[in-house]
Amino acid sequence: MNQHITASQAIADPTHARPDASQDVVRLVDLKRRFGTTPAIDGISLTVRKGEILGIIGRSGAGKSTLIRCLNGLERPDSGEVFIEGREISRLGERDLQPLRRRIGMIFQHFNLLSAKTVEDNVALPLKIEGRPRAERLARAAELLDLVGLSEKARAYPASLSGGQKQRVGIARALAARPALLLSDEATSALDPETTRSILALLKDINRQLGLTILLITHEMEVIRSIADRVAVIDAGRIVEEGPVWSVFADPRLDITRSLLGAIRPQLPTELAARLVPAAGTETILRVDVAGEAARGPLLSDLATAVPGSFRLVHGGIDHIQQQPVGTLFLSVPGGDASHLAAVVTFLKARQARVEVLGHVANPV
Ligand SMILES: Nc1ncnc2c1ncn2[C@@H]1O[C@H](COP(=O)(O)OP(=O)(O)OP(=O)(O)O)[C@@H](O)[C@H]1O
C-alpha cells in the first residue's frame, strides 16, 4: 500500500534503487550535520516524490530546521547527499547553487515580506533577482495574485494586510519562479484556526493544480492531518517513524510520535479517565484503534454476534484521514470473567484492531 521506501529500508539500502526514482524531487542519502558535539542531523535518508506533500514533525531541537536548510543549500552537510530533482547540491559552490535555489520556494511563519514594497513587487521579487523585465514580472505577479485570491491588493503595502493575506502574498512570491519544491517552515503557526484552514486549502489547491511538491515542518498536527500525504517523525537528528498520515495517526508505533500527536488522537473523556483504577473492577475499559480496510466492516456488530454480551461502547467513533477510515472506540467490557475479556480481545485483534486495556472501573460506566 505504501509505495514509499520507509526510513528503515532507506537506511538499509542507501542507494534507494527504485525503478521510478526519477520522480523523486528530493532524495537525501545518509545525511549528517553536526554542530560541535551535537549531531543535528544524524543519518537521514528520505525521498519526496513529485506532487507529494510530506510533513516533518519532531520536538524542538530535533533537527527539522537544519534539514530544511540542507535542502536549500543554506547549510552544508558534513556527509551524505542531497539530490534536488536528481542533481546533487550539497557540494556546489554559491554560483551553481543560485539557479537550483530557484527550483525551491519557501514560506515562513512570519511571512518575511518587504514592508517598503507593494504586494506585487514582493511577489515579483524573485523574478527581479533573476533579472526578468518589469513587464514580465508584473504579469507573473498578477497571475499569482489571482491564484491566491488577492488581485485587488496588488498595489497595497504589507502593513495593510491581515496575517492570512500576508501569507497568501508569501505563497505567491514563493511560486514566482515556478519552483519544483515548496518548503514550508511553520507557515500557519502565527495564524488563527480559520485563517490556517484557508491557507491549508490554498496550499492543497496549488499542490493539485500545479503538481507542486511540498515539504513542510510544523508543530501543528492538524496541518499534517489536513494536507500531508506522508509524515516523518524526526528525533535527535534521525527519522524514527514514517508512513502515510492516516496510518501513522491511527497507529503510532513510538512514544515520541504518540506524544507529538497528543490531543489530536481521540482520548477517553477526562471524567471517565479519572475513574480508572489499575486493579480489576466491575468493568474493563478498552481502547480499540482500527484503520483502513479493518475499519470498513461492521466491527462492533460482528463482535456482538461472535461474543454475546461482550461490550458497551462508551466513547469514540470513526473519522477519515486521506479518505481512509480511522477509528478509536472505547469499550466497556464486563469484568470478573477473564475468559470473556480474552475472547473480546482475541476477536478484535483478529480483525487487525489494536487493543489496549486502559484500566478498570469499580462501578458500571
Ligand atoms: N548554527 C548552529 N550552531 C550550533 N548548534 C546548532 C545550530 N543550528 C542548530 N543547532 C543545534 O542543532 C540541533 C537541531 O536544531 P534545529 O534548529 O535543526 O532543530 P528544530 O527541530 O528545527 O528545532 P525547533 O523546532 O525548536 O526549531 C539543536 O540541538 C540545535 O541547538
Side-chain angles (χ1 to χ4, degrees), residues 35 38 40 58-67 75 217:
F35 296 104
T38 311
R59 283 191 281 233
S60 182
K64 305 178 296 294
S65 308
T66 308
L67 182 69
E75 195 75 69
I217 61 178

Side-chain angles (χ1 to χ4, degrees), residues 12-262:
D13 172 18
T15 61
H16 291 208
R18 219 184 38 210
D20 59 348
S22 62
Q23 291 294 302
D24 295 339
V25 172
V26 176
R27 186 158 65 94
L28 305 179
V29 184
D30 201 18
L31 203 65
K32 293 189 179 163
R33 177 69 167 111
R34 164 183 293 277
F35 296 104
T37 54
T38 311
I41 300 288
D42 194 18
I44 286 187
S45 295
L46 181 74
T47 57
V48 192
R49 291 164 57 85
K50 186 164 166 40
E52 183 177 41
I53 304 184
L54 173 73
I56 293 191
I57 58 174
R59 283 191 281 233
S60 182
K64 305 178 296 294
S65 308
T66 308
L67 182 69
I68 277 210
R69 291 167 61 80
C70 285
L71 287 176
N72 59 18
L74 288 175
E75 195 75 69
R76 303 274 175 176
D78 299 326
S79 64
E81 291 164 304
V82 179
F83 293 93
I84 302 291
E85 294 186 294
R87 176 126 190 243
E88 213 289 317
I89 66 153
S90 65
R91 282 156 204 93
L92 293 180
E94 269 305 307
R95 241 177 87 168
D96 291 331
L97 264 179
Q98 287 308 330
L100 283 164
R101 283 214 183 99
R102 287 200 277 277
R103 303 296 296 152
I104 303 177
M106 182 134 185
I107 51 174
F108 309 87
Q109 179 172 5
H110 296 298
F111 325 121
N112 297 12
L113 302 179
L114 297 179
S115 56
K117 289 198 178 289
T118 61
V119 161
E120 67 184 357
D121 283 344
N122 266 283
V123 173
L125 193 64
L127 302 177
K128 188 170 187 184
I129 294 168
E130 267 186 46
R132 300 276 173 195
R134 182 163 173 80
E136 181 191 326
R137 296 192 317 250
L138 291 182
R140 177 74 178 142
E143 195 182 313
L144 287 163
L145 286 172
D146 183 41
L147 180 74
V148 302
L150 274 186
S151 296
E152 79 285 6
K153 297 286 184 187
R155 299 286 161 82
Y157 284 86
S160 68
L161 303 182
S162 68
Q165 289 172 331
K166 285 179 188 162
Q167 194 56 289
R168 283 171 188 270
V169 177
I171 292 169
R173 179 187 54 189
L175 298 177
R178 304 179 196 277
L181 173 67
L182 179 69
L183 298 177
S184 166
D185 185 356
E186 298 285 2
T188 53
S189 301
L191 304 175
D192 62 66
E194 195 186 331
T195 310
T196 292
R197 276 194 289 278
S198 79
I199 292 294
L200 293 178
L202 174 64
L203 287 176
K204 190 80 195 173
D205 228 40
I206 289 166
N207 161 258
R208 286 202 192 110
Q209 273 189 47
L210 311 179
L212 185 70
T213 308
I214 303 178
L215 186 148
L216 54 90
I217 61 178
T218 181
H219 69 272
E220 299 173 300
M221 297 306 123
E222 202 51 57
V223 170
I224 303 282
R225 176 205 177 99
S226 54
I227 65 165
D229 300 306
R230 205 157 47 102
V231 61
V233 183
I234 297 197
D235 195 34
R238 294 180 151 266
I239 292 179
V240 292
E241 185 156 5
E242 180 265 333
V245 172
W246 69 270
S247 151
V248 173
F249 275 44
D251 189 14
R253 284 185 298 109
L254 301 179
D255 285 345
I256 168 82
T257 312
R258 278 196 206 103
S259 137
L260 288 167
L261 294 181

